[in-house]
Amino acid sequence: GAAAATTELMTWLVVVSSVVALLRAALPLGTTGIHARRARRVGRHARRLPRQPVTVLVPAYNEEAGIEATLRTILASTADVRVIVVDDGSTDRTSEVVRSLGLPGVTLIRQANAGKAAALNTGLAHCRTELVVMVDGDTVLEPDTVAELVEPFADPDVGAVSGNAKVGNRDGLLGRWQHIEYVIGFNLDRRMYDVMECMPTVPGAVGGFRLSALRQVGGVPEDTLAEDTDLTMALERAGWAVTYRESARAWTEAPATLGQLWRQRYRWCYGTLQAMWKHRGAVRERGLGGRLGRRGLPYLALYQVVLPVLAPVIDVFAVLSLFTDPVRGAAAWLGFLVLQLVPAVIAFRLDRESLRPLWAVALQPVVYRQLMYLVVIQSVITAIAGARLPWQKLKRTGTAARYAPSAVVVDDVTEPLHVGTAAQRAPRLAEDDEVTAPLRRR
């Protein structure tokens, strides 16, 4: 009797998960068409943003391997940029690398280690422009990225703009899996959130903000591990629109090992749970905050919490069904694979990416998807237990520019840019040596 009840329960879970998976594929695909048509229509009649200076904030902690590429690509922007690098107590030679480059328009600020959010707030305190772009210290930009990212601010209701982050180190199976995930997430999910007006996150790797909007919400929040999600939700609850600009591309470095990936996603997932709980009151609000609360939060809860928690049990049942009913089990497995592959093909076409890496989709359920499920389960257990996680910093290798367009890594000053070698060329300075580049202390 217990076996029969369990089988019936699992059968219903498989049916429910199948319906949820179909909706997960259909909703982004439907809204993507709406977003594309809207973008073409708005592009023909959009207000143009007058050219104005833009401050690019680069929080940096142990980024000596890639900070040179980041700064040179920012300064190669077609927009009028000023750069503020905030060294958040690095234990490597990040500050020395920045100083040794002697790049004009770059201000270096050093502070004791206080976390990424605190570093961003330090940089915001020194901003003198209304438009601000935040870029991670391991990210490289294309020449038009900053200009594309700030263009939506021609609409005075827009408070933040999400860019299009792309994986630079996509070699190997793990890199391909993350590359696929990023392309789908940025070219389907963010278009869907844009249409539904409930964008949950402007990524830390590349995002544009209106300084007056940031000051209205008190700057970057420092009480959650997903400060980018927390900030985005706070802006929407304050009445600021958050949109997506797919042409604002940035190339970032993804984790290179399963251990690094686990730590990164554990922090992301736990931080997202913190932000969702912190902003749960948006469910009762009106306007943009209400759309976040009644559209964005339920979607996140269903597809990033509930479904991943149930999915491992469903996968086990699917595997067992291959032995009890091979035809039906194989059909179900292939059906789920198609539901993953079709959106992936559309997303890759939208982003003008080669379809060759998509063979790795067939292997995702074996390792990558199970890892993501376990991360969510661990995060939920940690949240229920009331534990707090420390910040998890990944070791950078300076490989973000590997797949970026060649124009991104061209040094237009003296010599070809060698990513990750600036630390070897920079002179060693004493601990109490003053910064030779412009330095303002908080």
Side-chain angles (χ1 to χ4, degrees), residues 217-292:
V217 299
V220 181
E222 301 181 20
D223 56 344
T224 62
L225 289 179
E227 78 290 330
D228 48 4
T229 300
D230 193 351
L231 175 60
T232 305
M233 292 182 177
L235 288 170
E236 289 175 318
R237 295 186 70 186
W240 291 98
V242 180
T243 187
Y244 170 59
R245 191 76 167 187
E246 66 274 8
S247 55
R249 290 180 290 271
W251 300 76
T252 189
E253 182 176 339
T257 66
L258 287 175
Q260 290 180 346
L261 180 64
W262 181 284
R263 290 191 293 273
Q264 182 198 64
R265 299 309 172 88
Y266 187 21
R267 175 177 63 82
W268 283 7
C269 186
Y270 184 79
T272 299
L273 291 174
Q274 286 180 308
M276 291 170 61
W277 182 253
K278 179 179 178 180
H279 295 284
R280 64 191 183 279
V283 175
R284 302 185 301 272
E285 296 175 354
R286 296 183 177 181
L288 290 173
R291 295 186 187 103
L292 169 69

Side-chain angles (χ1 to χ4, degrees), residues 112-147:
N113 181 255
K116 181 180 179 181
L120 288 170
N121 285 325
T122 298
L124 290 173
H126 292 81
C127 283
R128 299 296 180 265
T129 63
E130 173 64 1
L131 301 183
V132 180
V133 170
M134 298 181 186
V135 176
D136 283 346
D138 66 319
T139 301
V140 296
L141 307 182
E142 296 182 8
D144 294 329
T145 297
V146 174

